[in-house]
Amino acid sequence: MSSSTSAERLSRMLALVPWLIAHDGVTIEEAATHFGISAEQLEKDLWLLIVCGLPGYGPDQLVDIDFWDDGRIHVLDAQTLDRPLRLGADEAMTLILGLRLLEQVPGVHDRSALVSAAAKLGQAVDLPDGEAAVSAQPQIDEAVSAAVATAINLGADLMITYASGTSDIVSERRISPQQVVLADGRAYLEAYCHLAGALRTFRLDRIMKISAASGSRDIPEIAPDLSAASAAILAVEAGSSWLIDVLGAQALGTDRDGRQRVRLEYADPRWLVRLVLSRGGQIEILEPASVRIDVTDAAASALRAYAEHQSFA
Amino acid sequence: YDRDKQGTRAFRLSRMVSDPTASGGIEHPAPSGTDLRSLIDPSSRSGERLSARVRVAAGAGAAVRRLSNDELAVDVAGELRIEAADGGALLSTVLFAGDGVEIMEPAPLRAEIVEALSRLRDMHAEARS
């Protein structure tokens, strides 16, 4: 028997006893139909149940079920299985929080079902403050969430004002939404970008404005993006070492000067340049040389503005 | 309170690689009214926020623009008043913008940016074998 089948059987048997108590006298066939199994399998479950019980395992400590006299099932002693399995408070909280977060994410799922499931779970575990006990507040604007959900459902285009985290540029784009994906706790919209002429991924909390686009959708055939991630070697000072974990960089060792040497994969060198700039010299690009040059140029370009406006100093 | 470092420190639980053991009573209880969260989360600190006047280029400085309540169309260059709870975060955000944002005041912050950019330029201009 596979482990998944064992797990399914355990779940079924835990649910079986309270259900049988609530349906005293049900036939084996009716019970089997309810649980979606054969009558033969149900009988096997029942035979196993009647040898289960509490430590000591004497006649008074075992589950007792009569199912062989008249073809009908009667639970005579349920021991501790007379109530449905209940979730622990932490398990229920985890589920409710997940449902609340999922409610906020636009997509093709049935939001009302999520709201209903979270409400039922809340009632089942008797949350002390009801709705207020578990609150998930993602940074996604409700208007953005609603517009994206509508566009995906209708196959319509959107106009967005987007603050790019890669280039730090705010741009207006026409996009054809494809789907919403969740990664690392954030919601991203995959869409064909008519400005870039390719598929792009947009972080929903970085969409500053959104509206329906006029005209019909016209997406050229999309070629697969075959570009692989590049890798850089960085030297990181202690003040920025927390970024190693955040970025998922691979530690390579410690240099003589105490800096940590790491390998970091990146998709866009513009993002890497800005990341290094933002740490103000606490991170040095060791490789590739091309990005070293880009950082030099970017820093020099920014410095020119400060040299031109020395009156502000 | 880290007795070895003689100061308050924050420790990530997932980085404790041995089982913690009790070593006696608490010798350094947190003073009443201490906001423990603010020790590790600068954004939760109350009090005066750091402010700066910046010049942003048209369409640039997306992250910096989010630090301002001033109204300035994204495709227009102009000046903004920005605020942050933490000086380090403000500097980092401005540096991320590169030549798209320039700090005009306060002068000490402007000097810090120039120093950081100079260090970055010189560090990366050196040839490496």
Side-chain angles (χ1 to χ4, degrees), chain A residues 102-180:
Chain A
L102 207 52
E103 287 170 18
Q104 318 298 326
V105 177
V108 294
H109 52 254
D110 184 352
R111 186 172 180 276
S112 62
L114 296 173
V115 172
S116 169
K120 285 174 183 166
L121 260 176
Q123 289 170 359
V125 297
D126 195 20
L127 289 181
D129 299 323
E131 282 288 309
V134 182
S135 173
Q137 296 178 327
Q139 294 175 308
I140 306 169
D141 187 279
E142 280 189 22
V144 171
S145 188
V148 168
T150 303
I152 290 175
N153 285 331
L154 300 179
D157 283 4
L158 293 167
M159 294 298 300
I160 62 169
T161 302
Y162 187 69
S164 167
T166 301
S167 64
D168 201 40
I169 289 173
V170 179
S171 58
E172 293 190 0
R173 306 156 183 250
R174 181 189 182 106
I175 60 169
S176 302
Q178 309 286 311
Q179 63 174 341
V180 174

Side-chain angles (χ1 to χ4, degrees), chain A residues 20-123:
Chain A
L20 291 174
I21 292 172
H23 298 83
D24 185 47
V26 69
T27 65
I28 288 177
E29 286 74 20
E30 288 168 342
T33 302
H34 177 80
F35 284 93
I37 57 177
S38 66
E40 183 185 11
Q41 179 61 54
L42 184 79
E43 284 199 46
K44 285 182 181 174
D45 289 353
L46 294 171
W47 281 113
L48 181 57
L49 273 170
I50 61 171
V51 293
C52 296
L54 298 172
Y57 307 109
D60 294 341
Q61 292 147 323
L62 296 178
V63 173
D64 191 4
I65 304 173
D66 178 4
F67 59 94
W68 50 80
D69 283 344
D70 56 1
R72 294 183 178 274
I73 309 171
H74 306 280
V75 178
L76 306 178
D77 189 344
Q79 296 294 344
T80 59
L81 297 178
D82 55 344
R83 287 182 303 161
L85 183 67
R86 295 179 71 88
L87 293 169
D90 53 345
E91 294 168 325
M93 284 290 190
T94 305
L95 271 174
I96 292 171
L97 183 60
L99 289 168
R100 292 263 160 84
L101 278 170
L102 207 52
E103 287 170 18
Q104 318 298 326
V105 177
V108 294
H109 52 254
D110 184 352
R111 186 172 180 276
S112 62
L114 296 173
V115 172
S116 169
K120 285 174 183 166
L121 260 176
Q123 289 170 359

Side-chain angles (χ1 to χ4, degrees), chain A residues 168 170, chain B residues 53-66 68 72-82 94 97-104:
Chain A
D168 201 40
V170 179
Chain B
R53 192 161 61 93
V54 299
R55 184 202 303 273
V56 293
V64 167
R65 287 171 189 261
R66 288 202 291 270
S68 177
L72 182 68
V74 294
D75 55 349
V76 174
E79 293 180 12
L80 293 172
R81 172 68 59 184
I82 61 173
V94 171
D99 60 5
V101 174
E102 177 189 356
I103 287 197
M104 300 165 73

Side-chain angles (χ1 to χ4, degrees), chain A residues 161 163-166 168-172 206 208 237 241-242 245 259 261 271 274-286 292-293 295-296 298-303 305-307 309-313, chain B residues 12 15 53 55 59-66 74-75 79 88 91-107 110 113-128:
Chain A
T161 302
S164 167
T166 301
D168 201 40
I169 289 173
V170 179
S171 58
E172 293 190 0
R206 288 192 176 142
M208 301 167 72
E237 289 184 5
S241 58
W242 57 273
D245 279 347
R259 296 188 299 178
R261 187 171 288 220
W271 169 80
R274 288 187 185 277
L275 170 77
V276 173
L277 286 180
S278 73
R279 301 315 302 160
Q282 291 188 345
I283 299 179
E284 180 184 357
I285 302 263
L286 303 179
R292 280 182 67 83
I293 294 169
V295 172
T296 308
S301 176
L303 278 169
Y306 286 90
H309 303 129
Q310 288 186 353
S311 58
F312 292 129
Chain B
R12 222 166 97 170
R15 290 201 183 136
R53 192 161 61 93
R55 184 202 303 273
V64 167
R65 287 171 189 261
R66 288 202 291 270
V74 294
D75 55 349
E79 293 180 12
L91 276 173
S92 180
T93 308
V94 171
L95 283 166
F96 185 83
D99 60 5
V101 174
E102 177 189 356
I103 287 197
M104 300 165 73
E105 60 177 29
R110 186 178 162 90
I113 292 280
V114 170
E115 185 183 334
L117 289 170
S118 301
R119 185 179 176 211
L120 277 160
R121 179 197 57 194
D122 298 344
M123 173 191 288
H124 288 87
E126 284 178 26
R128 297 193 73 91

